[in-house]
Short mmCIF file of all heavy atoms in Angstrom, two decimals:
data_model
loop_
_atom_site.label_atom_id
_atom_site.label_comp_id
_atom_site.label_asym_id
_atom_site.label_seq_id
_atom_site.Cartn_x
_atom_site.Cartn_y
_atom_site.Cartn_z
N ASN A 837 358.30 72.00 268.84
CA ASN A 837 357.27 71.66 269.82
C ASN A 837 357.00 70.16 269.85
O ASN A 837 356.20 69.68 270.60
CB ASN A 837 355.99 72.37 269.50
CG ASN A 837 355.44 72.08 268.13
OD1 ASN A 837 356.20 72.05 267.17
ND2 ASN A 837 354.11 71.87 268.02
N GLU A 838 357.74 69.39 269.02
CA GLU A 838 357.51 67.92 268.91
C GLU A 838 358.63 67.11 269.47
O GLU A 838 358.46 65.87 269.60
CB GLU A 838 357.29 67.56 267.47
CG GLU A 838 356.05 68.24 266.83
CD GLU A 838 355.93 68.02 265.31
OE1 GLU A 838 357.00 67.96 264.63
OE2 GLU A 838 354.80 67.86 264.83
N VAL A 839 359.70 67.71 269.90
CA VAL A 839 360.84 66.95 270.39
C VAL A 839 360.60 66.51 271.85
O VAL A 839 359.73 67.07 272.54
CB VAL A 839 362.16 67.78 270.31
CG1 VAL A 839 362.56 68.03 268.86
CG2 VAL A 839 362.07 69.06 271.08
N GLU A 840 361.38 65.55 272.30
CA GLU A 840 361.20 65.02 273.68
C GLU A 840 362.53 65.11 274.44
O GLU A 840 363.61 64.89 273.89
CB GLU A 840 360.80 63.55 273.64
CG GLU A 840 359.46 63.27 272.94
CD GLU A 840 359.17 61.80 272.87
OE1 GLU A 840 359.33 61.11 273.89
OE2 GLU A 840 358.69 61.32 271.78
N ALA A 841 362.38 65.43 275.72
CA ALA A 841 363.58 65.54 276.61
C ALA A 841 364.21 64.12 276.74
O ALA A 841 363.57 63.14 276.75
CB ALA A 841 363.14 66.04 277.99
N GLY A 842 365.54 64.15 276.68
CA GLY A 842 366.29 62.90 276.83
C GLY A 842 366.61 62.25 275.54
O GLY A 842 367.32 61.23 275.53
N LYS A 843 366.14 62.80 274.40
CA LYS A 843 366.42 62.16 273.10
C LYS A 843 367.44 63.01 272.30
O LYS A 843 367.58 64.22 272.51
CB LYS A 843 365.13 62.02 272.31
CG LYS A 843 364.16 60.98 272.96
CD LYS A 843 363.06 60.55 272.04
CE LYS A 843 362.25 59.46 272.66
NZ LYS A 843 361.21 58.94 271.75
N TYR A 844 368.10 62.31 271.40
CA TYR A 844 369.16 62.92 270.56
C TYR A 844 368.57 63.23 269.15
O TYR A 844 367.83 62.39 268.60
CB TYR A 844 370.34 61.99 270.44
CG TYR A 844 371.13 61.89 271.71
CD1 TYR A 844 370.60 61.19 272.81
CD2 TYR A 844 372.40 62.42 271.81
CE1 TYR A 844 371.34 61.11 273.99
CE2 TYR A 844 373.17 62.31 272.98
CZ TYR A 844 372.59 61.70 274.06
OH TYR A 844 373.32 61.57 275.20
N TYR A 845 369.03 64.33 268.59
CA TYR A 845 368.57 64.75 267.25
C TYR A 845 369.73 65.41 266.49
O TYR A 845 370.61 66.01 267.10
CB TYR A 845 367.45 65.77 267.36
CG TYR A 845 366.24 65.32 268.15
CD1 TYR A 845 366.18 65.54 269.55
CD2 TYR A 845 365.14 64.68 267.54
CE1 TYR A 845 365.05 65.12 270.29
CE2 TYR A 845 364.03 64.23 268.23
CZ TYR A 845 364.01 64.46 269.62
OH TYR A 845 362.90 64.05 270.36
N ARG A 846 369.68 65.25 265.20
CA ARG A 846 370.49 66.13 264.33
C ARG A 846 369.60 67.34 264.11
O ARG A 846 368.38 67.27 264.02
CB ARG A 846 370.79 65.44 262.98
CG ARG A 846 371.94 64.52 263.06
CD ARG A 846 372.22 63.74 261.81
NE ARG A 846 371.72 64.27 260.61
CZ ARG A 846 371.16 63.59 259.60
NH1 ARG A 846 371.09 62.28 259.69
NH2 ARG A 846 370.73 64.20 258.51
N ILE A 847 370.25 68.48 263.99
CA ILE A 847 369.50 69.76 263.86
C ILE A 847 369.69 70.35 262.48
O ILE A 847 370.79 70.40 261.96
CB ILE A 847 369.93 70.69 265.01
CG1 ILE A 847 368.96 71.87 265.16
CG2 ILE A 847 371.32 71.20 264.85
CD1 ILE A 847 369.11 72.60 266.44
N LEU A 848 368.56 70.80 261.88
CA LEU A 848 368.59 71.44 260.57
C LEU A 848 368.22 72.92 260.79
O LEU A 848 367.39 73.27 261.65
CB LEU A 848 367.54 70.86 259.60
CG LEU A 848 367.58 69.35 259.41
CD1 LEU A 848 366.46 69.01 258.43
CD2 LEU A 848 368.90 68.85 258.98
N ILE A 849 368.90 73.82 260.07
CA ILE A 849 368.65 75.26 260.26
C ILE A 849 368.35 75.96 258.94
O ILE A 849 368.92 75.65 257.88
CB ILE A 849 369.88 75.93 260.95
CG1 ILE A 849 369.62 77.37 261.31
CG2 ILE A 849 371.15 75.82 260.07
CD1 ILE A 849 370.68 77.97 262.20
N THR A 850 367.43 76.83 259.01
CA THR A 850 367.02 77.76 257.88
C THR A 850 367.22 79.14 258.42
O THR A 850 366.55 79.49 259.39
CB THR A 850 365.62 77.49 257.39
OG1 THR A 850 365.52 76.13 256.95
CG2 THR A 850 365.24 78.45 256.26
N ASN A 851 368.03 80.02 257.81
CA ASN A 851 368.23 81.32 258.36
C ASN A 851 368.59 82.33 257.34
O ASN A 851 368.62 82.05 256.11
CB ASN A 851 369.31 81.28 259.46
CG ASN A 851 370.68 80.84 258.91
OD1 ASN A 851 370.99 80.91 257.76
ND2 ASN A 851 371.55 80.39 259.84
N TYR A 852 368.81 83.57 257.75
CA TYR A 852 369.05 84.73 256.85
C TYR A 852 370.46 84.71 256.18
O TYR A 852 370.77 85.68 255.48
CB TYR A 852 368.76 86.04 257.52
CG TYR A 852 367.27 86.30 257.63
CD1 TYR A 852 366.60 86.25 258.86
CD2 TYR A 852 366.50 86.57 256.50
CE1 TYR A 852 365.20 86.48 258.93
CE2 TYR A 852 365.15 86.75 256.56
CZ TYR A 852 364.51 86.75 257.80
OH TYR A 852 363.13 86.96 257.88
N SER A 853 371.24 83.70 256.44
CA SER A 853 372.48 83.57 255.73
C SER A 853 372.28 82.87 254.40
O SER A 853 373.22 82.74 253.63
CB SER A 853 373.57 82.85 256.59
OG SER A 853 373.22 81.51 256.69
N GLY A 854 371.09 82.41 254.15
CA GLY A 854 370.81 81.74 252.89
C GLY A 854 370.92 80.22 252.95
O GLY A 854 371.03 79.55 251.93
N LEU A 855 370.94 79.68 254.14
CA LEU A 855 370.93 78.20 254.31
C LEU A 855 369.45 77.75 254.52
O LEU A 855 368.74 78.35 255.26
CB LEU A 855 371.77 77.80 255.52
CG LEU A 855 373.27 78.14 255.44
CD1 LEU A 855 374.01 77.75 256.70
CD2 LEU A 855 373.95 77.47 254.24
N TYR A 856 369.08 76.67 253.82
CA TYR A 856 367.75 76.17 253.86
C TYR A 856 367.74 74.70 254.27
O TYR A 856 368.29 73.86 253.57
CB TYR A 856 367.07 76.39 252.49
CG TYR A 856 367.05 77.79 251.97
CD1 TYR A 856 368.18 78.32 251.30
CD2 TYR A 856 365.93 78.63 252.15
CE1 TYR A 856 368.17 79.58 250.85
CE2 TYR A 856 365.93 79.91 251.66
CZ TYR A 856 367.05 80.38 251.01
OH TYR A 856 367.05 81.69 250.56
N ARG A 857 367.16 74.44 255.42
CA ARG A 857 367.08 73.04 255.91
C ARG A 857 368.49 72.42 255.95
O ARG A 857 368.70 71.28 255.57
CB ARG A 857 366.14 72.22 255.08
CG ARG A 857 364.78 72.83 254.89
CD ARG A 857 363.76 71.83 254.33
NE ARG A 857 363.39 70.85 255.35
CZ ARG A 857 362.99 69.58 255.09
NH1 ARG A 857 362.89 69.15 253.83
NH2 ARG A 857 362.63 68.76 256.08
N TYR A 858 369.45 73.15 256.41
CA TYR A 858 370.84 72.76 256.33
C TYR A 858 371.24 71.96 257.58
O TYR A 858 371.02 72.37 258.69
CB TYR A 858 371.73 74.00 256.22
CG TYR A 858 373.22 73.69 256.05
CD1 TYR A 858 373.69 73.14 254.82
CD2 TYR A 858 374.12 73.85 257.09
CE1 TYR A 858 374.99 72.86 254.70
CE2 TYR A 858 375.42 73.55 256.97
CZ TYR A 858 375.89 73.03 255.72
OH TYR A 858 377.19 72.73 255.56
N ASP A 859 371.75 70.79 257.34
CA ASP A 859 372.27 69.92 258.42
C ASP A 859 373.70 70.36 258.79
O ASP A 859 374.64 70.11 258.07
CB ASP A 859 372.28 68.50 257.95
CG ASP A 859 372.60 67.51 259.06
OD1 ASP A 859 373.09 67.92 260.09
OD2 ASP A 859 372.39 66.26 258.82
N ILE A 860 373.87 70.99 259.97
CA ILE A 860 375.12 71.54 260.34
C ILE A 860 376.07 70.39 260.86
O ILE A 860 377.26 70.68 261.14
CB ILE A 860 375.03 72.65 261.37
CG1 ILE A 860 374.41 72.11 262.66
CG2 ILE A 860 374.25 73.78 260.86
CD1 ILE A 860 374.38 73.13 263.78
N GLY A 861 375.53 69.19 261.03
CA GLY A 861 376.37 68.10 261.41
C GLY A 861 376.49 67.87 262.91
O GLY A 861 377.28 67.03 263.38
N ASP A 862 375.72 68.66 263.71
CA ASP A 862 375.77 68.54 265.14
C ASP A 862 374.70 67.60 265.67
O ASP A 862 373.56 67.68 265.22
CB ASP A 862 375.62 69.87 265.85
CG ASP A 862 376.88 70.76 265.64
OD1 ASP A 862 377.89 70.22 265.19
OD2 ASP A 862 376.77 71.95 265.94
N VAL A 863 375.07 66.73 266.65
CA VAL A 863 374.05 65.92 267.33
C VAL A 863 373.75 66.60 268.68
O VAL A 863 374.69 66.85 269.44
CB VAL A 863 374.60 64.48 267.58
CG1 VAL A 863 373.62 63.71 268.42
CG2 VAL A 863 374.81 63.78 266.18
N MET A 864 372.52 66.90 268.88
CA MET A 864 372.10 67.60 270.06
C MET A 864 371.17 66.71 270.95
O MET A 864 370.42 65.90 270.41
CB MET A 864 371.29 68.89 269.71
CG MET A 864 372.04 69.91 268.88
SD MET A 864 373.19 70.80 269.97
CE MET A 864 373.77 72.08 268.91
N GLU A 865 371.33 66.90 272.23
CA GLU A 865 370.35 66.26 273.16
C GLU A 865 369.40 67.33 273.68
O GLU A 865 369.80 68.39 274.06
CB GLU A 865 371.11 65.59 274.34
CG GLU A 865 370.11 64.89 275.30
CD GLU A 865 370.76 64.36 276.56
OE1 GLU A 865 371.99 64.48 276.69
OE2 GLU A 865 370.03 63.77 277.35
N VAL A 866 368.10 67.02 273.62
CA VAL A 866 367.11 67.91 274.27
C VAL A 866 367.08 67.49 275.73
O VAL A 866 366.75 66.34 276.06
CB VAL A 866 365.76 67.75 273.63
CG1 VAL A 866 364.74 68.55 274.41
CG2 VAL A 866 365.79 68.24 272.17
N VAL A 867 367.42 68.41 276.65
CA VAL A 867 367.52 68.13 278.06
C VAL A 867 366.31 68.63 278.86
O VAL A 867 366.26 68.48 280.09
CB VAL A 867 368.82 68.61 278.66
CG1 VAL A 867 370.02 67.87 278.03
CG2 VAL A 867 368.97 70.13 278.45
N GLY A 868 365.41 69.33 278.23
CA GLY A 868 364.26 69.90 278.89
C GLY A 868 363.69 71.04 278.07
O GLY A 868 363.92 71.12 276.87
N PHE A 869 362.90 71.88 278.74
CA PHE A 869 362.25 73.00 278.05
C PHE A 869 362.34 74.25 278.91
O PHE A 869 362.29 74.16 280.14
CB PHE A 869 360.77 72.69 277.73
CG PHE A 869 360.64 71.69 276.64
CD1 PHE A 869 360.68 70.32 276.94
CD2 PHE A 869 360.48 72.05 275.34
CE1 PHE A 869 360.55 69.38 275.94
CE2 PHE A 869 360.31 71.11 274.31
CZ PHE A 869 360.35 69.75 274.66
N TYR A 870 362.51 75.36 278.23
CA TYR A 870 362.36 76.70 278.91
C TYR A 870 361.08 77.29 278.38
O TYR A 870 361.04 77.66 277.20
CB TYR A 870 363.59 77.55 278.56
CG TYR A 870 363.63 78.89 279.30
CD1 TYR A 870 364.42 79.03 280.42
CD2 TYR A 870 362.90 79.98 278.81
CE1 TYR A 870 364.51 80.24 281.08
CE2 TYR A 870 362.90 81.16 279.50
CZ TYR A 870 363.73 81.29 280.61
OH TYR A 870 363.74 82.52 281.32
N GLU A 871 360.08 77.33 279.17
CA GLU A 871 358.73 77.63 278.71
C GLU A 871 358.40 76.63 277.63
O GLU A 871 358.45 75.41 277.85
CB GLU A 871 358.64 79.08 278.25
CG GLU A 871 358.88 80.10 279.34
CD GLU A 871 357.77 80.16 280.43
OE1 GLU A 871 356.77 79.54 280.32
OE2 GLU A 871 358.08 80.85 281.43
N GLN A 872 358.15 77.06 276.41
CA GLN A 872 357.86 76.14 275.29
C GLN A 872 359.02 75.87 274.33
O GLN A 872 358.83 75.15 273.39
CB GLN A 872 356.63 76.69 274.50
CG GLN A 872 355.31 76.75 275.29
CD GLN A 872 354.15 77.26 274.44
OE1 GLN A 872 354.28 77.37 273.19
NE2 GLN A 872 353.04 77.55 275.06
N ALA A 873 360.17 76.43 274.65
CA ALA A 873 361.32 76.30 273.78
C ALA A 873 362.23 75.21 274.27
O ALA A 873 362.52 75.10 275.51
CB ALA A 873 362.10 77.58 273.69
N PRO A 874 362.74 74.28 273.47
CA PRO A 874 363.62 73.21 273.88
C PRO A 874 364.94 73.76 274.43
O PRO A 874 365.45 74.77 273.95
CB PRO A 874 363.86 72.41 272.63
CG PRO A 874 362.78 72.77 271.69
CD PRO A 874 362.45 74.18 271.98
N LEU A 875 365.46 73.05 275.45
CA LEU A 875 366.82 73.28 275.90
C LEU A 875 367.69 72.25 275.29
O LEU A 875 367.47 71.04 275.40
CB LEU A 875 366.86 73.14 277.45
CG LEU A 875 366.24 74.28 278.25
CD1 LEU A 875 366.06 73.90 279.72
CD2 LEU A 875 367.09 75.55 278.24
N ILE A 876 368.75 72.71 274.60
CA ILE A 876 369.58 71.72 273.86
C ILE A 876 370.99 71.78 274.32
O ILE A 876 371.50 72.79 274.78
CB ILE A 876 369.53 72.09 272.32
CG1 ILE A 876 369.97 73.51 272.03
CG2 ILE A 876 368.13 71.85 271.74
CD1 ILE A 876 370.09 73.89 270.58
N VAL A 877 371.68 70.61 274.20
CA VAL A 877 373.08 70.47 274.56
C VAL A 877 373.82 69.80 273.39
O VAL A 877 373.36 68.74 272.97
CB VAL A 877 373.29 69.69 275.85
CG1 VAL A 877 374.80 69.54 276.17
CG2 VAL A 877 372.60 70.38 277.04
N PHE A 878 374.88 70.38 272.98
CA PHE A 878 375.73 69.75 271.93
C PHE A 878 376.35 68.51 272.55
O PHE A 878 377.02 68.58 273.58
CB PHE A 878 376.78 70.67 271.39
CG PHE A 878 377.85 70.01 270.53
CD1 PHE A 878 377.52 69.65 269.25
CD2 PHE A 878 379.08 69.80 271.03
CE1 PHE A 878 378.49 69.06 268.47
CE2 PHE A 878 380.03 69.21 270.31
CZ PHE A 878 379.77 68.82 268.99
N ARG A 879 376.29 67.36 271.85
CA ARG A 879 376.90 66.14 272.35
C ARG A 879 378.10 65.71 271.48
O ARG A 879 379.15 65.46 272.01
CB ARG A 879 375.92 64.97 272.41
CG ARG A 879 374.86 65.16 273.52
CD ARG A 879 375.49 65.39 274.86
NE ARG A 879 374.56 65.47 275.97
CZ ARG A 879 374.84 66.05 277.10
NH1 ARG A 879 375.98 66.68 277.31
NH2 ARG A 879 373.92 66.09 278.09
#
């Protein structure tokens, strides 16, 4: 809920595979929002 459209981010994931705050190495651009969820594109 804090990201901004048009900006680039590295993305960290915590999930049920046992990864915690894991940097998958992808750079994503936030291109907008779907309701309150970011729309992301891999760059």
Side-chain angles (χ1 to χ4, degrees):
N837 61 317
E838 297 173 325
V839 296
E840 297 178 43
K843 293 195 174 181
Y844 288 70
Y845 303 90
R846 279 174 24 217
I847 193 165
L848 309 182
I849 188 169
T850 300
N851 61 21
Y852 282 110
S853 69
L855 298 177
Y856 303 84
R857 310 192 72 205
Y858 183 74
D859 186 346
I860 63 174
D862 288 349
V863 173
M864 299 284 188
E865 180 184 1
V866 174
V867 294
F869 289 84
Y870 186 98
E871 298 292 351
Q872 294 181 11
L875 287 166
I876 57 174
V877 177
F878 169 75
R879 289 308 184 201

